[in-house]
Amino acid sequence: MTDAMPTIYVDADACPVKPEILKVAERHGMPVTFVANSGLRPSRDPMVKNVIVSGAFDAADNWIADNVGADDIVVTADVPLAVRCVEKGAHVTGPTGRLFDKANIGMASAMRDLGAHLRETGESKGYNAAFSPRDRSAFLETLDRLCRRAKNARPGPSP
């Protein structure tokens, strides 16, 4: 375990909660790294880093999985990325506040695979529900809780 402050890594392409992440991160004094295949709005905040990766398939996911550490936080809706990050000891949430952890990641992965199979066979249309204010609220609550948990697991340097 390191004394460095945990980082919030964001799978930023199509992430609907970027402003909320910045607000919670600022409150906790935590650095944020947005990772995307395309342009991101620059930030003057020294605690915010933007990483633009190639347009290759899973390039952003691979960058996050290669750089995340134990007790860092990852925000992603991508279940395979969540699996990789949970295996490395990271705290993972989706943008709706859905928590991925060792207790549920196997089931989340199996359900994702089942859904993909049903879409491929035409048994399911695979529509996702619209992002709602309730999702945003649940996300804020989950991210705040994960920030406290990550900071407690990795205390900062002593004064």
Side-chain angles (χ1 to χ4, degrees), residues 78-159:
D78 186 273
V79 174
L81 174 59
V83 169
R84 294 167 70 187
C85 295
V86 166
E87 287 172 355
K88 292 184 87 172
H91 305 278
V92 185
T93 183
T96 61
R98 179 181 183 190
L99 188 63
F100 297 103
D101 59 21
K102 289 180 181 180
N104 70 12
I105 196 66
M107 181 61 77
S109 183
M111 293 303 293
R112 178 210 174 265
D113 292 345
L114 175 61
H117 174 74
L118 292 174
R119 286 187 299 278
E120 288 169 6
T121 61
E123 295 292 321
S124 169
K125 299 287 186 220
Y127 299 116
N128 290 329
F131 190 75
S132 71
R134 174 182 273 171
D135 294 330
R136 193 172 310 278
S137 178
F139 173 77
L140 282 165
E141 183 178 314
T142 299
L143 183 60
D144 192 68
R145 186 174 65 247
L146 290 180
C147 287
R148 288 192 309 273
R149 187 180 302 163
K151 286 168 56 177
N152 288 335
R154 196 191 296 179
S158 301

Side-chain angles (χ1 to χ4, degrees), residues 19-63:
E20 289 80 3
I21 293 167
L22 293 173
K23 182 168 57 170
V24 173
E26 182 177 7
R27 184 171 51 237
H28 287 279
M30 295 176 72
V32 177
T33 300
F34 289 109
V35 184
N37 297 108
S38 58
L40 292 166
R41 177 172 286 142
S43 173
R44 292 183 181 181
D45 186 339
M47 297 291 280
V48 177
K49 177 180 173 185
N50 289 336
V51 175
I52 307 296
V53 296
S54 75
F57 184 72
D58 281 346
D61 297 354
N62 291 336
W63 192 97

